[in-house]
């Protein structure tokens, strides 16, 4: 049976595009569908642009594996494609004696995950690197960094199109029906509403993962995990950035906590926090500046009064609610849902951006049998 495309990917964020690239590399004709008017307008547009080292994630989890593999591949990709990036390094800081045990546990976990170059620092050593830092002790992760995530996604799009594939925007996925002999009919909305046939189907739509899976005929409802919207807001510093490296306090329940970065333009940004919301609300409440300031002064006592300005917000596609343990990435193949030729992704939040190339390779290998 002939198909319009060998593979269709729903979602043109970092992970969807990485899946499309990995499938294209294996010689498949690829269609990527994006409901927004540009690539990377969903979860991928509202993040910290941090390249994570892979410190925190449970041993042998997909997050641990994909973060480390993805980070190594990402640096190579960014260098090859001349995309702006900065391996600035990161300090995980204990601001008091009571936090030392927590960062020691992070060091042990990171070592188990194969993270390179880690070092223990005393408070004095940490302050020698970052003089304005309040640190009782710290862990240095030299492999952590920052990058231009939009430049990265445009490069992924370019590779797909160079291989003969298509990335189509303003093209919402409206549903799919598995065909009797294998493959799918896929309904696409928008001004150019149409139906296309595809041998393989990957769903990587971020916040819409549950709704997209439910729109595939025969997808078992019991295989769709509950989704939650984890909102995080960011504040920008008015004034000179105080640190060159990423600064992270110990993680909070369900997230890595409010951290510091100096963006590619040299400005200081703090965030995100974590609040569960019911709708996609991207507003930033200026009143949160007081709460942010109190948190930031734990590791930067010199924060001036009134120096935080509301910046932006993002929403993470979480699979856990408040007080629940944080689960792993979920990549559901035929062994889960029973539909041949389909991989559905759920809960691809942090470190999904860093992990994207590794996720793409894993999805493509599973669907094609080509490593």
């Amino acid at each position: 049976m002939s198909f319009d495309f060998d593979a269709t990917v729903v979602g043109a964020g970092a992970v969807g595009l990485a899946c499309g690239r990995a499938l294209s590399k294996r010689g498949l004709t690829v269609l990527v569908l994006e409901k927004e008017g540009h690539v990377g307008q969903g979860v991928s547009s509202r993040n910290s642009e941090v390249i994570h080292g892979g410190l925190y994630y449970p041993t042998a989890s997909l997050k641990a594996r994909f973060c480390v593999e993805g980070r190594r591949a990402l640096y190579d990709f960014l260098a090859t494609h001349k995309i702006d990036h900065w391996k600035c390094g990161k300090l995980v800081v204990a601001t008091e004696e009571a936090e030392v045990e927590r960062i020691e546990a992070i060091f042990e976990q990171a070592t188990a995950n194969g993270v390179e170059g880690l070092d223990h620092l005393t408070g004095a050593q940490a302050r020698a690197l970052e003089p304005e830092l309040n640190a009782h002790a710290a862990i240095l992760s030299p492999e952590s960094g920052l990058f231009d995530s939009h430049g990265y996604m445009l490069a992924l799009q370019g590779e797909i199109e160079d291989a003969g594939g298509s990335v189509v925007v303003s093209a919402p996925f409206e549903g799919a029906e598995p065909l009797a002999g294998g493959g799918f009919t896929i309904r696409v909305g928008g001004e150019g509403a149409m139906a296309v046939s595809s041998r393989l189907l990957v769903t990587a739509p971020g916040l819409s993962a549950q709704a997209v899976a439910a729109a595939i005929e025969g997808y078992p409802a019991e295989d769709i995990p509950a989704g939650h919207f984890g909102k995080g807001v960011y504040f920008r510093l008015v004034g000179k950035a105080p640190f060159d490296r990423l600064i992270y306090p110990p993680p909070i329940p369900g997230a890595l906590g409010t951290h510091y970065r100096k963006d590619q333009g040299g400005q200081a940004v703090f965030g995100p926090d974590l609040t569960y919301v019911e709708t996609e609300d991207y507003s930033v409440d200026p009143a949160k500046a007081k709460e942010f300031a109190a948190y930031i002064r734990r590791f930067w006592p010199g924060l001036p009064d009134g120096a935080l300005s509301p910046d932006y917000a993002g929403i993470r596609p979480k699979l856990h609610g408040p007080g629940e343990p944080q689960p792993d990435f979920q990549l559901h193949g035929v062994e889960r849902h029973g539909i041949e030729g389909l991989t559905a992704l759920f809960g691809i939040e942090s470190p999904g951006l860093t992990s994207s190339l590794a996720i793409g390779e894993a999805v493509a290998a599973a669907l094609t049998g080509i490593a």
Side-chain angles (χ1 to χ4, degrees):
M1 180 177 177
S2 63
F3 297 94
D4 297 322
F5 297 92
D6 292 321
T8 296
V9 180
V10 179
V15 172
L17 290 167
C19 290
R21 171 187 182 257
L23 290 161
S24 295
K25 283 173 54 185
R26 288 159 173 80
L28 277 65
T29 57
V30 173
L31 169 67
V32 181
L33 299 173
E34 173 54 51
K35 67 179 181 179
E36 302 294 343
H38 302 278
V39 302
Q41 293 298 292
V43 174
S44 297
S45 69
R46 297 171 173 272
N47 56 67
S48 297
E49 296 191 307
V50 168
I51 302 174
H52 289 287
L55 280 65
Y56 306 94
Y57 314 108
T59 306
S61 66
L62 293 181
K63 286 184 177 181
R65 172 189 153 198
F66 289 156
C67 188
V68 173
E69 290 179 4
R71 182 244 307 155
R72 293 169 180 163
L74 182 57
Y75 277 124
D76 288 342
F77 185 95
L78 298 173
T80 300
H81 291 76
K82 296 181 171 55
I83 298 165
D84 288 343
H85 64 286
W86 178 29
K87 193 184 285 189
C88 57
K90 164 178 167 177
L91 292 172
V92 183
V93 179
T95 60
E96 57 186 28
E97 176 64 35
E99 292 179 336
V100 171
E101 186 176 345
R102 292 173 64 194
I103 70 166
E104 283 300 314
I106 292 168
F107 186 96
E108 292 176 9
Q109 185 62 69
T111 301
N113 291 349
V115 179
E116 311 91 331
L118 299 169
D119 199 6
H120 291 94
L121 301 181
T122 64
Q125 289 171 323
R127 289 189 297 276
L129 296 177
E130 300 288 1
E132 294 199 47
L133 185 66
N134 173 39
H136 185 85
I139 295 166
L140 174 63
S141 169
E143 292 296 317
S144 301
L146 293 160
F147 75 119
D148 174 5
S149 62
H150 287 279
Y152 167 61
M153 288 184 281
L154 290 173
L156 292 174
Q157 178 182 359
E159 288 208 0
I160 293 167
E161 293 173 342
D162 286 347
S166 299
V167 178
V168 184
V169 298
S170 301
F173 171 87
E174 293 194 341
E177 292 81 39
L179 300 170
F184 303 86
T185 296
I186 298 166
R187 290 177 280 112
V188 184
E191 287 187 12
M194 60 181 175
V196 298
S197 61
S198 181
R199 182 166 62 87
L200 304 172
L201 176 60
V202 178
T203 65
L207 295 174
S208 303
Q210 284 75 10
V212 164
I216 300 171
E217 185 178 297
Y219 199 106
E222 63 272 16
D223 189 63
I224 302 176
H228 304 271
F229 287 177
K231 179 179 177 179
V233 303
Y234 296 80
F235 280 79
R236 189 169 292 270
L237 180 72
V238 179
K240 182 182 177 183
F243 309 112
D244 287 329
R245 293 161 185 81
L246 297 160
I247 307 295
Y248 278 65
I252 62 174
L256 295 184
T258 299
H259 55 264
Y260 161 92
R261 77 180 193 276
K262 184 165 74 171
D263 68 14
Q264 300 274 331
Q267 288 190 293
V269 182
F270 299 90
D273 61 353
L274 174 60
T275 305
Y276 284 88
V277 295
E278 297 298 321
T279 60
E280 290 189 50
D281 169 20
Y282 294 103
S283 63
V284 181
D285 181 1
K288 277 201 164 190
K290 183 177 180 181
E291 173 188 329
F292 264 65
Y295 191 90
I296 292 163
R297 286 193 175 106
R298 292 169 54 194
F299 60 85
W300 182 32
L303 171 66
D305 291 337
L308 296 178
S309 174
D311 198 16
Y312 67 100
I315 296 179
R316 291 154 279 184
K318 291 188 172 292
L319 299 182
H320 66 290
E324 297 175 352
Q326 191 166 10
D328 204 358
F329 292 150
Q330 294 193 21
L331 282 60
H332 292 195
V334 63
E335 71 285 350
R336 289 289 301 262
H337 49 60
I339 303 174
E340 194 71 45
L342 169 66
T343 297
L345 279 58
F346 299 99
I348 311 297
E349 55 161 328
S350 181
L353 185 61
T354 302
S355 303
S356 53
L357 291 176
I359 293 172
E361 288 296 323
V363 168
L367 285 173
T368 66
I370 303 171

